[in-house]
Amino acid sequence: MVRLRYGISDLVLRLSPRDLASMIDHTLLKPSASYRDLEKYVDDVREYGFACLVVPSSLVEKVREIAGGSVRVATVVGFPLGSCCSEAKVAETRYALESDVEEIDMVMNINLFKSRDYGKVLEDMKSVVVEARRHGCSVVKVIIETGLLSDDEKARATELVIESGADYVKTSTGFLAGGATVHDVSLLYRVARGRVKVKASGGIRHALDALVMIAAGADRIGTSTGDKIMEEFIKIKETL
């Protein structure tokens, strides 16, 4: 049975729109995204005050051209499969941080994890964390792709994320086996016990989706519909 940290009604009352926005990573990773889409997402971040804008590394330069330093930027590493070698992930991380990216969302090597080669999985995570810290990056999130894992595997992956020194364990890429579930977020939160934060990502499209994930234990929400979530949340607040 899932145990929530907060009741949804209580959460709506305690969170201001700015509070909720500060927990959302507004995400534009679809391969069909254009510069026009990117301009809209930059405007969204400026309007609502989202935690950051998540884009592929190839769009970081364009974000800076559009927004300068007014938008906090995150990018993905080893995305979406996580199966590239650690050296490639480190190179991606270095390139991103030298391009003034502030946060890294990396994908765990799921092939190695499923092979129970946990030492190499940990080394892979640590290689990115170390490179990130070397460049002064204070936020690294590790995507474990919960839809491909059993509950025992989710717990083991979370422990590896903690050991790696990363800052968040993240549920999903949103490109593979489903997205975030309340069950999974609650499980990761319980296993983490405050040693690492939880990011829920994948399939979160509405305000109530986001609120339930936060109630279950998420500190960050990854979504491509942050603007819609905020519009819905503001309407909910206005009815109180």
Side-chain angles (χ1 to χ4, degrees):
M1 182 178 178
V2 173
R3 183 175 299 174
L4 300 180
R5 292 188 292 177
Y6 315 109
I8 301 303
S9 297
D10 291 339
L11 200 54
V12 171
L13 288 171
R14 69 186 292 175
L15 290 178
S16 69
R18 183 64 62 169
D19 291 334
L20 178 59
S22 71
M23 301 177 76
I24 293 175
D25 290 356
H26 199 36
T27 304
L28 183 64
L29 293 172
K30 61 183 181 180
S32 59
S34 68
Y35 288 165
R36 180 174 294 181
D37 296 321
L38 187 61
E39 289 171 356
K40 166 67 167 60
Y41 274 64
V42 168
D43 288 343
D44 291 340
V45 176
R46 285 170 162 165
E47 178 178 356
Y48 294 109
F50 293 125
C52 64
L53 173 61
V54 186
V55 295
S57 57
S58 61
L59 292 181
V60 170
E61 183 178 354
K62 190 66 176 178
V63 173
R64 292 307 183 204
E65 181 184 320
I66 295 168
S70 65
V71 169
R72 185 173 178 86
V73 180
T75 196
V76 287
V77 165
F79 192 88
L81 301 180
S83 54
C84 59
C85 65
S86 297
E87 291 80 2
K89 290 180 180 177
V90 169
E92 280 190 273
T93 302
R94 183 183 310 117
Y95 172 83
L97 296 172
E98 289 175 353
S99 302
D100 296 326
V101 164
E102 284 107 339
E103 301 188 11
I104 297 292
D105 289 38
M106 71 166 289
V107 185
M108 177 180 77
N109 192 311
I110 302 162
N111 297 129
L112 294 178
F113 185 86
K114 285 292 189 178
S115 300
R116 299 186 179 183
D117 197 343
Y118 301 128
K120 286 188 177 179
V121 174
L122 180 59
E123 288 175 12
D124 183 64
M125 293 178 187
K126 279 186 172 179
S127 68
V128 171
V129 172
V130 168
E131 186 67 17
R133 303 302 189 228
R134 194 169 72 83
H135 287 81
C137 175
S138 61
V139 181
V140 178
K141 310 167 201 136
V142 181
I143 306 166
I144 64 172
E145 206 63 78
T146 49
L148 297 177
L149 307 180
S150 68
D151 283 358
D152 286 345
E153 288 175 325
K154 294 164 196 170
R156 185 63 180 267
T158 300
E159 292 292 349
L160 291 172
V161 174
I162 293 164
E163 190 174 350
S164 77
D167 306 283
Y168 286 81
V169 58
K170 178 177 171 183
T171 57
S172 319
T173 61
F175 281 71
L176 298 176
T181 67
V182 175
H183 169 82
D184 287 345
V185 170
S186 179
L187 172 62
L188 301 188
Y189 175 74
R190 293 196 312 273
V191 171
R193 301 197 310 278
R195 294 172 294 163
V196 71
K197 295 179 180 179
V198 177
K199 177 176 174 179
S201 185
I204 303 170
R205 298 184 178 90
H206 299 281
L208 287 178
D209 298 335
L211 291 168
V212 170
M213 295 300 174
I214 293 168
D219 293 285
R220 285 279 188 100
I221 300 295
T223 179
S224 60
T225 61
D227 54 336
K228 182 175 182 179
I229 286 172
M230 292 309 302
E231 289 169 3
E232 291 178 356
F233 183 67
I234 290 168
K235 287 181 180 178
I236 292 170
K237 293 285 284 187
E238 287 173 349
T239 64
L240 297 179

